[in-house]
Amino acid sequence: MPPPGPAGYTPPRRSSTGLILGLFSASLALVVVVVTLVLVTSSPATRISDLDAVHEVIEERYERHPFLGVGGFEGKHTIYVGLSLSYVSGVGELRQVSEDLVGTVWEHVPGSYEQVVTALLSWSEDSLFVEQWDTAALREQFGPRPSGLAVEEVDGRDPTLIRPGDCSAEQGYCNSLPEALLTENSRALTEYTCGLFEEGSAFPTEPFQIRNDKNPYGAKSSVTYLLSPLTDSRPDLLHVALLGKRDAFLEVTCVIDGVEENELFSRAEYEKALELVE
């Protein structure tokens, strides 16, 4: 069986689409999303691979698979943590979970990141809970960051057609895109799937999660782009799962304004993508 999704949602057997749909689909609004940005100027910017340092800590504490990401949003380098919890309800409990997750990131994730925004939605609550933390509040609440936060080691490998590059050893968080997502074919299939981009607009260049999936039943790798503000109750997103098989090479999922579009493409369709969309 494929591994459960990062927000506790089990993806379909044929792909890892559930990794994202468990977080953002309107029909699956049973999710806790925590976005963490902290100003730390004394070290290099946090990379996606550095999320390895906190993944297992959160998973063990909450017995749920977190959804983690890093990216630039509104000019600020952001760490994104998503977690689905069935037993959290009420503003008081939501605030406690928010504070705990922010503190966990503060204590474990190396590198520099800016400001804190927490957006929480529990199984029993149908509204979004949002908090913002600035640097002064973080230091006042948690004190100085622990010394000796080491940058997460990576394998140093270059990306291949379907495998991302420069990945962490334990959880497979990666810093560079698979080659298949840097082509006009990928853009064409994305446009074909959801009509996301107007003519002449740029394909997203900064994903907030790149993963190398080691499970043979899931994607070889997956990439997620967030396309709307972090605090939106229905975030717009683009998720691409590279399955690498002849008949199931690439899967594109878009969720725009709460509407989901999904297409699965063969290797032949990927190779002829520019003809397909004409």
CSV table of all heavy atoms in Angstrom, one decimal, residues 186-211:
chain,number,residue,atom,x,y,z
A,186,SER,N,5.8,20.2,-20.0
A,186,SER,CA,5.1,20.2,-18.7
A,186,SER,C,4.1,21.4,-18.6
A,186,SER,O,3.0,21.3,-18.1
A,186,SER,CB,6.1,20.3,-17.6
A,186,SER,OG,7.0,19.2,-17.5
A,187,ARG,N,4.6,22.5,-19.1
A,187,ARG,CA,3.7,23.7,-19.1
A,187,ARG,C,2.5,23.5,-19.9
A,187,ARG,O,1.4,23.8,-19.5
A,187,ARG,CB,4.5,24.9,-19.6
A,187,ARG,CG,3.6,26.2,-19.7
A,187,ARG,CD,4.4,27.3,-20.5
A,187,ARG,NE,3.5,28.4,-20.8
A,187,ARG,CZ,3.4,29.5,-20.2
A,187,ARG,NH1,4.2,29.7,-19.1
A,187,ARG,NH2,2.6,30.5,-20.5
A,188,ALA,N,2.7,22.9,-21.1
A,188,ALA,CA,1.5,22.6,-22.0
A,188,ALA,C,0.5,21.7,-21.3
A,188,ALA,O,-0.7,21.9,-21.4
A,188,ALA,CB,2.0,22.0,-23.3
A,189,LEU,N,1.0,20.7,-20.6
A,189,LEU,CA,0.0,19.7,-20.0
A,189,LEU,C,-0.6,20.4,-18.8
A,189,LEU,O,-1.8,20.1,-18.5
A,189,LEU,CB,0.8,18.5,-19.6
A,189,LEU,CG,1.3,17.6,-20.7
A,189,LEU,CD1,2.1,16.4,-20.2
A,189,LEU,CD2,0.2,17.2,-21.7
A,190,THR,N,0.1,21.3,-18.1
A,190,THR,CA,-0.6,22.0,-17.0
A,190,THR,C,-1.7,22.9,-17.5
A,190,THR,O,-2.8,22.9,-16.9
A,190,THR,CB,0.5,22.8,-16.2
A,190,THR,OG1,1.5,21.9,-15.8
A,190,THR,CG2,-0.1,23.5,-15.1
A,191,GLU,N,-1.4,23.6,-18.6
A,191,GLU,CA,-2.4,24.5,-19.2
A,191,GLU,C,-3.6,23.7,-19.7
A,191,GLU,O,-4.8,24.1,-19.5
A,191,GLU,CB,-1.8,25.3,-20.3
A,191,GLU,CG,-0.8,26.3,-19.8
A,191,GLU,CD,-0.1,27.0,-21.0
A,191,GLU,OE1,-0.1,26.5,-22.1
A,191,GLU,OE2,0.5,28.1,-20.8
A,192,TYR,N,-3.3,22.5,-20.3
A,192,TYR,CA,-4.3,21.6,-20.8
A,192,TYR,C,-5.2,21.1,-19.6
A,192,TYR,O,-6.5,21.0,-19.8
A,192,TYR,CB,-3.7,20.4,-21.5
A,192,TYR,CG,-4.7,19.4,-22.0
A,192,TYR,CD1,-5.2,19.6,-23.3
A,192,TYR,CD2,-5.0,18.3,-21.3
A,192,TYR,CE1,-6.1,18.7,-23.8
A,192,TYR,CE2,-5.9,17.4,-21.9
A,192,TYR,CZ,-6.5,17.6,-23.1
A,192,TYR,OH,-7.3,16.7,-23.6
A,193,THR,N,-4.6,20.9,-18.5
A,193,THR,CA,-5.4,20.3,-17.4
A,193,THR,C,-6.3,21.3,-16.7
A,193,THR,O,-7.5,21.1,-16.4
A,193,THR,CB,-4.4,19.8,-16.3
A,193,THR,OG1,-3.6,18.8,-16.9
A,193,THR,CG2,-5.2,19.2,-15.1
A,194,CYS,N,-5.8,22.5,-16.5
A,194,CYS,CA,-6.6,23.5,-15.6
A,194,CYS,C,-6.7,24.9,-16.2
A,194,CYS,O,-7.3,25.7,-15.5
A,194,CYS,CB,-6.0,23.5,-14.2
A,194,CYS,SG,-4.3,23.9,-14.2
A,195,GLY,N,-6.1,25.2,-17.3
A,195,GLY,CA,-6.1,26.5,-17.9
A,195,GLY,C,-5.7,27.6,-16.9
A,195,GLY,O,-6.2,28.7,-16.8
A,196,LEU,N,-4.6,27.2,-16.2
A,196,LEU,CA,-4.2,28.0,-15.0
A,196,LEU,C,-3.5,29.3,-15.4
A,196,LEU,O,-3.7,30.4,-14.8
A,196,LEU,CB,-3.2,27.2,-14.2
A,196,LEU,CG,-2.6,27.9,-12.9
A,196,LEU,CD1,-3.7,28.2,-12.0
A,196,LEU,CD2,-1.6,26.9,-12.3
A,197,PHE,N,-2.8,29.3,-16.5
A,197,PHE,CA,-2.0,30.5,-16.9
A,197,PHE,C,-2.5,31.1,-18.1
A,197,PHE,O,-2.8,30.5,-19.1
A,197,PHE,CB,-0.5,30.0,-17.1
A,197,PHE,CG,0.0,29.2,-16.0
A,197,PHE,CD1,0.3,27.8,-16.2
A,197,PHE,CD2,0.2,29.8,-14.7
A,197,PHE,CE1,0.7,27.1,-15.1
A,197,PHE,CE2,0.7,29.0,-13.7
A,197,PHE,CZ,1.0,27.6,-13.9
A,198,GLU,N,-2.5,32.4,-18.1
A,198,GLU,CA,-2.8,33.2,-19.3
A,198,GLU,C,-1.7,33.2,-20.2
A,198,GLU,O,-0.5,32.9,-19.9
A,198,GLU,CB,-3.1,34.7,-18.9
A,198,GLU,CG,-4.3,34.8,-18.0
A,198,GLU,CD,-4.6,36.3,-17.6
A,198,GLU,OE1,-3.8,37.1,-18.0
A,198,GLU,OE2,-5.6,36.5,-16.9
A,199,GLU,N,-1.9,33.4,-21.5
A,199,GLU,CA,-0.9,33.4,-22.5
A,199,GLU,C,0.2,34.4,-22.2
A,199,GLU,O,0.0,35.5,-21.9
A,199,GLU,CB,-1.5,33.7,-23.9
A,199,GLU,CG,-0.5,33.6,-25.0
A,199,GLU,CD,-1.1,33.9,-26.4
A,199,GLU,OE1,-2.4,34.1,-26.4
A,199,GLU,OE2,-0.4,33.9,-27.4
A,200,GLY,N,1.4,33.9,-22.2
A,200,GLY,CA,2.6,34.7,-21.9
A,200,GLY,C,3.0,34.7,-20.5
A,200,GLY,O,4.1,35.3,-20.2
A,201,SER,N,2.2,34.2,-19.6
A,201,SER,CA,2.6,34.2,-18.2
A,201,SER,C,3.6,33.1,-17.9
A,201,SER,O,3.8,32.1,-18.7
A,201,SER,CB,1.4,33.9,-17.3
A,201,SER,OG,0.8,32.7,-17.5
A,202,ALA,N,4.4,33.2,-16.8
A,202,ALA,CA,5.5,32.3,-16.6
A,202,ALA,C,5.0,31.1,-15.8
A,202,ALA,O,4.1,31.2,-14.9
A,202,ALA,CB,6.6,33.0,-15.8
A,203,PHE,N,5.6,29.9,-16.1
A,203,PHE,CA,5.3,28.8,-15.3
A,203,PHE,C,5.9,29.0,-13.9
A,203,PHE,O,7.0,29.6,-13.8
A,203,PHE,CB,6.0,27.5,-16.0
A,203,PHE,CG,5.6,26.2,-15.4
A,203,PHE,CD1,4.4,25.6,-15.8
A,203,PHE,CD2,6.3,25.7,-14.3
A,203,PHE,CE1,4.1,24.4,-15.3
A,203,PHE,CE2,5.9,24.5,-13.8
A,203,PHE,CZ,4.8,23.8,-14.3
A,204,PRO,N,5.2,28.5,-12.8
A,204,PRO,CA,5.8,28.8,-11.5
A,204,PRO,C,7.2,28.3,-11.4
A,204,PRO,O,7.6,27.2,-11.9
A,204,PRO,CB,4.9,27.9,-10.6
A,204,PRO,CG,3.6,27.8,-11.3
A,204,PRO,CD,4.0,27.8,-12.8
A,205,THR,N,8.1,29.1,-10.8
A,205,THR,CA,9.5,28.7,-10.7
A,205,THR,C,9.9,28.3,-9.3
A,205,THR,O,11.0,27.7,-9.2
A,205,THR,CB,10.3,29.9,-11.1
A,205,THR,OG1,10.0,31.0,-10.3
A,205,THR,CG2,10.1,30.3,-12.6
A,206,GLU,N,9.1,28.5,-8.3
A,206,GLU,CA,9.5,28.2,-7.0
A,206,GLU,C,8.5,27.3,-6.3
A,206,GLU,O,7.5,27.8,-5.7
A,206,GLU,CB,9.7,29.5,-6.1
A,206,GLU,CG,10.3,29.2,-4.8
A,206,GLU,CD,10.6,30.4,-4.0
A,206,GLU,OE1,10.1,31.5,-4.4
A,206,GLU,OE2,11.3,30.4,-3.0
A,207,PRO,N,8.7,26.0,-6.3
A,207,PRO,CA,7.8,25.1,-5.6
A,207,PRO,C,8.0,25.2,-4.1
A,207,PRO,O,9.1,25.6,-3.6
A,207,PRO,CB,8.2,23.7,-6.1
A,207,PRO,CG,9.6,23.9,-6.5
A,207,PRO,CD,9.7,25.3,-7.0
A,208,PHE,N,7.0,24.9,-3.3
A,208,PHE,CA,7.2,24.9,-1.8
A,208,PHE,C,7.4,23.5,-1.3
A,208,PHE,O,7.7,23.3,-0.1
A,208,PHE,CB,6.2,25.7,-1.1
A,208,PHE,CG,4.8,25.0,-1.0
A,208,PHE,CD1,4.4,24.3,0.1
A,208,PHE,CD2,3.9,25.2,-2.0
A,208,PHE,CE1,3.2,23.7,0.2
A,208,PHE,CE2,2.6,24.6,-1.9
A,208,PHE,CZ,2.3,23.9,-0.8
A,209,GLN,N,7.3,22.5,-2.1
A,209,GLN,CA,7.8,21.2,-1.7
A,209,GLN,C,8.2,20.4,-2.9
A,209,GLN,O,7.6,20.4,-4.0
A,209,GLN,CB,6.7,20.4,-1.0
A,209,GLN,CG,7.2,19.0,-0.4
A,209,GLN,CD,6.1,18.1,0.1
A,209,GLN,OE1,5.6,17.3,-0.6
A,209,GLN,NE2,5.9,18.3,1.4
A,210,ILE,N,9.4,19.7,-2.8
A,210,ILE,CA,9.9,18.7,-3.8
A,210,ILE,C,10.2,17.5,-3.0
A,210,ILE,O,11.0,17.5,-2.1
A,210,ILE,CB,11.1,19.2,-4.6
A,210,ILE,CG1,10.9,20.6,-5.2
A,210,ILE,CG2,11.5,18.3,-5.6
A,210,ILE,CD1,12.1,21.2,-5.8
A,211,ARG,N,9.6,16.3,-3.4
A,211,ARG,CA,9.9,15.1,-2.7
A,211,ARG,C,10.4,14.0,-3.6
A,211,ARG,O,9.9,13.9,-4.8
A,211,ARG,CB,8.6,14.6,-2.0
A,211,ARG,CG,8.1,15.5,-0.8
A,211,ARG,CD,9.0,15.5,0.4
A,211,ARG,NE,9.2,14.2,1.0
A,211,ARG,CZ,8.4,13.7,1.9
A,211,ARG,NH1,7.3,14.3,2.3
A,211,ARG,NH2,8.6,12.5,2.5
